[in-house]
Amino acid sequence: MPRLVSHPDEVKIVTKRFGMGAANIDKYMELGGYESLKKCIAEGPEWVINEMKSSGLRGRGGAGFPTGLKWSFVPKQSAKPKYVLVNGDESEPGTCKDHLIFLHDPHAVIEGTMIAGLAIGAKTGFIYLRGEYRYLLEITEKAVADAYEKGILGKNVLGSDFEFNVITQSGAGAYEVGEESALMESLEGKRGVPRIKPPFPAVVGLYGGPTVINNAETIASVPHVISMGGAAYAAVGSERNGGTRLFGLSGHVERPGIYELPMGYNLKKMIYEVGGGVRGGRKLKAVVPGGSSTPVLLPEEIENLGMDFDQVGKAGSMLGSGGVVVIDDQTCMVEFALRTISFYAHESCGWCIPCREGTDWLKKSLTRFHAGFGTEKDIDNIQYLAENMMGRTFCPLGDAAAMPTIGFVKKFRKEFEDHLNGKPCPFAKHVELAVV
Amino acid sequence: MSPKESNTETMSIFSPQLSARFDVLVAKYPVKRSALIPMLLYAQDEIGYLSDAVIAEVAERIGITQLDVRNVATYYSMLRFKPAGKFNIQVCTNISCMLRGAYELYERFQDELHIGHKGVTSDGVFSLEEVECIGVCCWAPAIQVNYAFHDELTPNDVPKIISEYKSKANGSVKNA
């Protein structure tokens, strides 16, 4: 069972009910649950969208798009039904925050979905969980059934004339489905290949209807934004980055876990104080700041780095999904790069050639390189290949594979050179990787 | 054309419980084929893999071709077309787990079970798989046995996990 951790610097908003049995609907309501929904029904859609806009809440899936603005793009009138789609296909390596949300506070996801539905004028919401999260799907399904029984979901929500239904859905193993258009394809019972944009989902989405797609953490934050008020929520975070984030510390860190910290929290402090430093008192070699697709950062780059979308972007990486992977000085970065690209090669859906071929060739080159058969020219080729994948695919998976690879080659070129001329890897434990 | 499931119940290869569940599933979504992926997963949970018969019946229940079902099913990594062990041990070796010893863990499973990636033990009790990120990064290294997570493991935990599931397998044989 995933362990809960805590640290005095945490600001518990989304996690405030964790470990309190809030998966039980009575407990959830005793702790103030569904009060935000009541308030939203009373105040109406326009008020909700304005609160969301003033909260500065930005998409927690990785792109960081302002949530209130996204909701406002949905046309008021639509011939086809509108939908809310919650993305719980959490699959980015280094990311496990939604796991805890569904485990400890599934009703917050339901309440957030309903508020989103009210705001955009939808009557149906879908909560999509990755297939591996079966036990979390069961917890969520129970929560949905309980909400129907209490008259929270259904025809007359809490006695009002607002109608809303929630449908849960299971995936069956696919990273690509975390991309919003592939997610809609999967929910329609198809292969999870991306759609071309435009049209954007807010106009033509699920079953052709206008659709808002939000990450599970974003949706779980919504009831808290409403109960605190948009302005108060915004004040917790940094400039243009409202609220808190569930940061997942993993890898070579003394106290790994999910910590809820204000947006803009210093990364160095996060690793050394919140996470207790590098495991075994070793030296820090590198940090992947926001899930495996975000370019690696060096220790000197994190000194004054605040963890929000803008500051990490300025530092040449991305805040992504908030999965902070700590890497110590005993790690081979060529192996790390290889393991990262192996994942993307495995997950590329094959729809776009630059991604399908690019990830495969990067994996082949890095495999050969790590085994000691690389040439000087390979180092440049790897970078050249990765650079030519950027921006040439329907969805961001190609970029997600290319960006970290470019980062590894640029920042750890010396380690690549150390593998040349048949020299054995100075760190190697595992030269061959089995995942095919 | 609106295919009705009038005959599927009597001819079904699935248990009455699963058939009933499928009846609910196909009516649950605005469009029937949205039920496809969960149906395939639940069918696999009961039958063990997506046999020709499973694909045929799911196709008929949804009202699409078998080819269409195969086209979708081959996309998803959790769906399989060959039987796995009664307990499918999935070891994550992605970055967060790798940094905390996932390969040592995976090697220990291989040594104890004498099988490799996607192998099945001769008694059919276990299969082993190296898998991509399973969303347990902060409690690494982690595995999934069927749907059950086991986290913060070391190679020394491996024999205990194996014997725990072995006794479960023996228990279910006795009860059967």
Side-chain angles (χ1 to χ4, degrees):
Chain A
M1 191 68 112
R3 228 163 13 97
L4 289 176
V5 288
S6 72
H7 186 270
D9 279 8
E10 277 189 287
V11 178
K12 298 210 180 234
I13 296 175
V14 175
T15 59
K16 75 175 185 191
R17 300 190 196 96
F18 284 16
M20 296 173 83
N24 176 299
I25 193 164
D26 293 317
K27 190 75 197 172
Y28 181 73
M29 292 176 82
E30 188 190 310
L31 295 166
Y34 292 113
E35 287 301 322
S36 296
L37 175 66
K38 265 182 216 165
K39 187 163 189 193
C40 291
I41 292 171
E43 300 281 354
E46 224 156 287
W47 178 86
V48 175
I49 288 182
N50 282 334
E51 285 301 307
M52 292 307 297
K53 279 184 176 168
S54 66
S55 74
L57 175 65
R58 292 168 68 173
R60 301 302 194 227
F65 196 82
T67 307
L69 193 61
K70 192 183 233 183
W71 291 6
S72 72
F73 288 157
V74 177
K76 285 211 165 50
Q77 304 300 327
S78 168
K80 289 196 169 176
K82 303 182 214 176
Y83 299 105
V84 178
L85 173 47
V86 181
N87 187 348
D89 189 58
E90 177 167 74
S91 310
E92 170 91 352
T95 317
C96 49
K97 62 196 174 56
D98 301 343
H99 191 138
L100 284 190
I101 293 173
F102 286 112
L103 178 59
H104 290 285
D105 210 3
H107 285 286
V109 179
I110 297 169
E111 188 175 1
T113 309
M114 296 179 77
I115 293 170
L118 180 86
I120 67 158
K123 284 184 186 167
T124 309
F126 292 89
I127 301 175
Y128 186 112
L129 274 82
R130 63 178 301 182
E132 290 85 349
Y133 286 176
R134 173 64 64 84
Y135 86 111
L136 301 173
L137 179 72
E138 284 164 2
I139 289 169
T140 309
E141 282 176 344
K142 164 88 169 63
V144 169
D146 291 346
Y148 272 108
E149 203 168 297
K150 285 250 191 265
I152 290 164
L153 282 167
K155 261 215 153 24
N156 298 100
V157 171
L158 297 163
S160 72
D161 53 9
F162 173 49
E163 177 187 350
F164 201 79
N165 296 290
V166 165
I167 299 175
T168 52
Q169 177 74 332
S170 168
Y175 169 77
E176 168 59 13
V177 166
E179 192 276 331
E180 58 181 13
S181 67
L183 180 65
M184 295 189 293
E185 289 288 302
S186 177
L187 188 42
E188 291 180 8
K190 302 174 198 158
R191 292 173 75 90
V193 294
R195 297 177 183 173
I196 198 156
K197 290 179 247 182
F200 290 94
V203 184
V204 181
L206 190 64
Y207 310 118
T211 305
V212 151
I213 302 163
N214 284 132
N215 178 261
E217 185 188 349
T218 313
I219 284 290
S221 306
V222 169
H224 302 290
V225 168
I226 299 299
S227 67
M228 291 171 74
Y233 181 84
V236 176
S238 53
E239 203 186 331
R240 301 204 309 124
N241 287 267
T244 56
R245 186 91 210 248
L246 272 62
F247 290 104
L249 278 174
S250 71
H252 293 141
V253 63
E254 201 65 59
R255 290 193 297 271
I258 300 282
Y259 297 92
E260 182 170 14
L261 295 160
M263 290 291 265
Y265 193 87
N266 181 276
L267 179 53
K268 190 176 181 186
K269 214 172 153 195
M270 195 186 297
I271 295 168
Y272 286 96
E273 288 181 28
V274 178
V278 182
R279 191 165 75 157
R282 285 181 180 161
K283 264 182 69 188
L284 181 70
K285 185 185 233 177
V287 190
V288 175
S292 63
S293 65
T294 61
V296 67
L297 295 170
L298 298 170
E300 56 267 32
E301 292 174 301
I302 67 165
E303 289 287 334
N304 299 308
L305 184 62
M307 288 290 274
D308 65 33
F309 289 106
D310 303 320
Q311 293 184 62
V312 183
K314 255 187 223 148
S317 188
M318 285 164 71
L319 188 64
S321 61
V324 177
V325 185
V326 177
I327 303 164
D328 77 10
D329 60 354
Q330 313 274 305
T331 313
C332 170
M333 292 312 287
V334 178
E335 183 185 25
F336 194 87
L338 170 57
R339 187 62 189 88
T340 303
I341 201 64
S342 300
F343 169 72
Y344 291 100
H346 182 261
E347 299 298 332
S348 174
C349 78
W351 188 249
C352 312
I353 296 162
C355 173
R356 183 183 68 212
E357 294 299 309
T359 53
D360 195 46
W361 278 105
L362 285 174
K363 183 185 169 185
K364 279 180 185 152
S365 304
L366 282 165
T367 303
R368 192 176 60 169
F369 209 96
H370 188 237
F373 302 107
T375 66
E376 180 90 49
K377 199 165 177 259
D378 282 338
I379 308 176
D380 294 323
N381 274 347
I382 289 167
Q383 190 176 335
Y384 176 76
L385 183 57
E387 280 169 356
N388 278 287
M389 291 162 65
M390 294 288 292
R392 295 200 165 91
T393 48
F394 273 39
C395 93
L397 199 151
D399 289 5
M403 284 186 307
T405 308
I406 296 167
F408 292 130
V409 174
K410 274 192 180 160
K411 289 180 180 167
F412 292 97
R413 196 178 173 99
K414 167 107 192 11
E415 271 193 41
F416 280 81
E417 287 167 355
D418 285 345
H419 283 73
L420 285 172
N421 307 319
K423 269 185 283 182
C425 170
F427 306 95
K429 281 167 277 178
H430 331 98
V431 173
E432 281 174 78
L433 293 171
V435 168
V436 183
Chain B
M1 196 182 76
S2 69
K4 295 248 173 349
E5 310 81 41
S6 51
N7 291 324
T8 45
E9 212 160 306
T10 48
M11 295 157 58
S12 179
I13 60 162
F14 303 120
S15 65
Q17 293 86 344
L18 190 58
S19 286
R21 191 172 192 181
F22 283 169
D23 291 341
V24 174
L25 265 176
V26 292
K28 177 173 158 183
Y29 306 90
V31 170
K32 211 171 175 182
R33 78 174 282 162
S34 285
L36 177 58
I37 293 155
M39 276 171 81
L40 290 171
L41 208 49
Y42 295 137
Q44 176 173 286
D45 293 342
E46 184 169 287
I47 308 290
Y49 68 108
L50 303 183
S51 63
D52 292 349
V54 167
I55 288 168
E57 186 173 332
V58 168
E60 197 191 322
R61 280 175 178 269
I62 293 185
I64 58 178
T65 65
Q66 293 184 34
L67 182 66
D68 208 350
V69 174
R70 282 180 199 280
N71 181 36
V72 174
T74 49
Y75 177 86
Y76 295 91
S77 64
M78 287 172 73
L79 300 176
R80 55 177 177 260
F81 300 87
K82 278 190 296 195
K86 185 177 170 58
F87 297 109
N88 187 31
I89 299 175
Q90 302 143 79
V91 184
C92 171
T93 61
N94 211 309
I95 49 173
S96 296
C97 284
M98 176 178 91
L99 294 177
R100 295 182 84 92
Y103 279 104
E104 287 78 359
L105 189 66
Y106 181 53
E107 276 159 27
R108 185 66 184 265
F109 272 112
Q110 294 183 63
D111 291 347
E112 296 283 337
L113 296 170
H114 309 290
I115 49 175
H117 181 54
K118 299 216 172 178
V120 184
T121 54
S122 53
D123 59 3
V125 174
F126 293 105
S127 50
L128 184 64
E129 225 181 309
E130 182 187 355
V131 294
E132 295 296 356
C133 186
I134 49 176
V136 205
C137 319
C138 293
W139 312 281
I143 65 166
Q144 245 187 322
V145 182
N146 296 348
Y147 290 103
F149 288 101
H150 298 261
D151 56 23
E152 300 188 283
L153 298 175
T154 70
N156 291 333
D157 295 322
V158 169
K160 205 181 83 219
I161 292 168
I162 291 175
S163 68
E164 186 188 309
Y165 281 97
K166 209 172 243 170
S167 61
K168 271 189 196 173
N170 292 337
S172 72
V173 169
K174 264 178 225 155
N175 293 338

